[in-house]
Amino acid sequence: MRGYELLRILWAVFLGAFLIIAGLLTFKAGDEPGIGFRIGYTYLSERTRRKANRVSGIGTIITGRLLVVLSPFLPMTWLMFLMLACLGTTVLLASLGAVFYAAFIALTSAYEEGYH
């Protein structure tokens, strides 16, 4: 094994392990202000925050596992693309989910209060 291949695999394993740990912390994050997925809509309710943290935690764990598993087979360029694509998709899904869920909560509470 050449030095570059070993360095690529070690980089991917180290980054993958970091992403798995970060994903687990995000998945289990409660009211912690420094850990978890935070956009304005996640502050509206605890359920919105919990759901956004679960989606982003699962996506981050999947990204880390893919990096670790695929590091011996893919070149560095594809590993970087894989990481950016997976994390971008995770952020997009968690953001859209939080926005739509917050809108659902706001509409439901407005309907229950009689603003229909």
Side-chain angles (χ1 to χ4, degrees):
M1 183 174 289
R2 295 182 300 176
Y4 176 75
E5 292 173 2
L6 181 62
L7 183 64
R8 181 192 71 220
I9 293 170
L10 288 176
W11 174 84
V13 168
F14 176 73
L15 189 61
F18 174 75
L19 287 174
I20 290 170
I21 292 169
L24 288 172
L25 288 174
T26 302
F27 186 79
K28 298 286 185 182
D31 249 356
E32 196 67 35
I35 299 173
F37 189 80
R38 299 289 187 248
I39 60 171
Y41 291 104
T42 60
Y43 291 108
L44 294 177
S45 74
E46 182 62 32
R47 286 182 67 185
T48 306
R49 184 178 313 140
R50 193 170 49 243
K51 286 182 183 290
N53 282 341
R54 286 191 179 192
V55 168
S56 61
I58 290 170
T60 307
I61 292 169
I62 290 171
T63 303
R65 293 179 92 185
L66 283 174
L67 279 177
V68 170
V69 169
L70 296 176
S71 64
F73 309 110
L74 294 178
M76 186 67 117
T77 308
W78 283 101
L79 288 173
M80 292 295 289
F81 176 75
L82 175 76
M83 182 184 69
L84 291 175
C86 288
L87 288 178
T89 303
T90 298
V91 169
L92 181 68
L93 289 176
S95 299
L96 289 176
V99 168
F100 287 132
Y101 192 73
F104 172 75
I105 290 174
L107 290 173
T108 304
S109 65
Y111 180 77
E112 289 172 353
E113 291 175 5
Y115 294 115
H116 52 279

